[in-house]
Amino acid sequence: MLGIVSKLRNLRRLDLRGSKYLTGGTLAAIYSNCVYLEHLDVRHCYGVISGGIGALMRSCEHLHSLDLPELVIDDSPEASIEQACANPKLVELMETISSCENLKHLSFRRGFLARDVILRTYAKSRPPLSTLTIHRDSKTTEDTNFSMAGVSELIHACRGRLVQLDVELPRSDKLDNQDREMSLLVARLPHLEYIKIVGWTSSMDETLESLKSNCPFLKSALLYWNAADGGKIKLKMLRQSDNSHSIKRKCRKSRWA
């Protein structure tokens, strides 16, 4: 891979999802040679460390889309998730990402990064994101370090620029409040076109009404709720050409990991 990368100096988009060959050395070759890189997807690349991502962000000033890997930076088996997230190296990485003014898309997917300390560190930079993905860690049943407060702070920090939002809400919060909090959040996203929400409350009616009232450019919405009961209710909303809405509801029991 190192030999190939050295010949791709004008590469703009690189998708390495799940690559077992991606190491720190390979990542260094990428950011040393592919200086015009605009999009990088390194989800499920477990050989990547936070320092490598930080160096890439500093070298590739044209990068505007980044899908982060599941970073584990504390090798101690006794280290808790909270300790791993509060590690100065990981916080430093988020501060480096915060300094990238061209970044428009960022994805926190099913890893240690979807934790309040990380979301809030990034929120302080008032990021100019247009698309944002926040997924909880599917390997855990509780989200003790991931709350609606952290999610809300980051979404608010985007200052209404979001066009696409994909968020899995934490399980550990007061479930009855999730619908109300999401309804208030989407009310401040006037440019939203696409949204997907996975919630654990018994209803998402307030969020739905808020989307209809406050998001005039909305093209598609997928809302899942009641997942805490072992099943899920799916609502799909599509905007029609006459500016009305077509709403489809599907209810079924299924295992929700």
Side-chain angles (χ1 to χ4, degrees):
M1 184 179 289
L2 294 177
I4 297 175
V5 167
S6 64
K7 299 177 182 179
L8 301 175
R9 295 187 177 276
N10 292 318
L11 191 67
R12 298 293 197 276
R13 184 181 183 90
L14 185 57
D15 187 339
L16 294 170
R17 276 176 293 179
S19 174
K20 61 182 179 181
Y21 301 108
L22 185 62
T23 62
T26 309
L27 196 63
I30 291 172
Y31 64 71
S32 297
N33 292 280
C34 306
V35 295
Y36 298 107
L37 196 64
E38 296 177 355
H39 171 88
L40 179 65
D41 189 339
V42 286
R43 284 173 284 170
H44 315 306
C45 295
Y46 300 101
V48 178
I49 61 173
S50 61
I53 295 292
L56 181 138
M57 298 300 297
R58 289 188 290 271
S59 300
C60 299
E61 59 183 24
H62 300 285
L63 195 71
H64 62 72
S65 176
L66 177 62
D67 289 271
L68 289 162
E70 295 83 344
L71 291 171
V72 182
I73 60 173
D74 193 327
D75 294 327
S76 171
E78 293 81 19
S80 66
I81 291 177
E82 183 176 14
Q83 290 171 328
C85 289
N87 188 299
K89 292 182 179 179
L90 192 49
V91 174
E92 181 183 359
L93 168 63
M94 293 314 302
E95 291 174 347
T96 300
I97 293 176
S98 299
S99 67
C100 298
E101 298 179 355
N102 293 325
L103 201 62
K104 304 300 181 185
H105 162 77
L106 187 62
S107 172
F108 301 90
R109 290 180 183 265
R110 294 184 175 90
F112 289 122
L113 287 170
R115 294 295 182 265
D116 282 356
V117 64
I118 300 303
L119 301 181
R120 287 174 163 170
T121 298
Y122 188 46
K124 291 177 182 178
S125 68
R126 311 291 285 179
L129 298 178
S130 58
T131 70
L132 173 64
T133 298
I134 304 174
H135 284 184
R136 59 183 303 279
D137 188 350
S138 60
K139 296 179 181 179
T140 63
T141 57
E142 295 294 334
D143 298 302
T144 55
N145 300 300
F146 174 40
S147 70
M148 279 300 298
V151 172
S152 299
E153 190 168 329
L154 180 52
I155 293 175
H156 276 306
C158 294
R159 292 172 286 186
R161 295 191 182 100
L162 287 178
V163 174
Q164 181 173 319
L165 176 63
D166 181 350
V167 58
E168 292 183 8
L169 303 179
R171 290 186 182 183
S172 57
D173 275 8
K174 296 179 180 179
L175 300 182
D176 293 340
N177 296 334
Q178 281 193 351
D179 186 24
R180 170 59 60 86
E181 291 190 46
M182 280 307 304
S183 70
L184 296 175
L185 279 175
V186 300
R188 298 189 179 189
L189 302 176
H191 302 294
L192 201 63
E193 296 182 10
Y194 302 94
I195 187 169
K196 177 183 175 183
I197 303 172
V198 176
W200 308 93
T201 182
S202 59
S203 169
M204 294 292 281
D205 290 342
E206 289 187 50
T207 302
L208 173 61
E209 290 304 317
S210 183
L211 286 167
K212 292 166 63 176
S213 301
N214 300 291
C215 304
F217 302 106
L218 190 67
K219 297 178 181 178
S220 177
L222 283 172
L223 285 76
Y224 297 84
W225 69 92
N226 209 31
D229 293 333
K232 61 181 175 182
I233 300 174
K234 175 182 177 180
L235 179 147
K236 184 175 184 180
M237 182 171 72
L238 296 173
R239 184 172 294 279
Q240 306 299 300
S241 58
D242 60 357
N243 214 35
S244 62
H245 294 90
S246 171
I247 298 177
K248 298 180 180 179
R249 293 175 183 262
K250 179 186 289 186
C251 306
R252 73 172 183 267
K253 286 288 182 180
S254 64
R255 187 170 180 267
W256 190 270

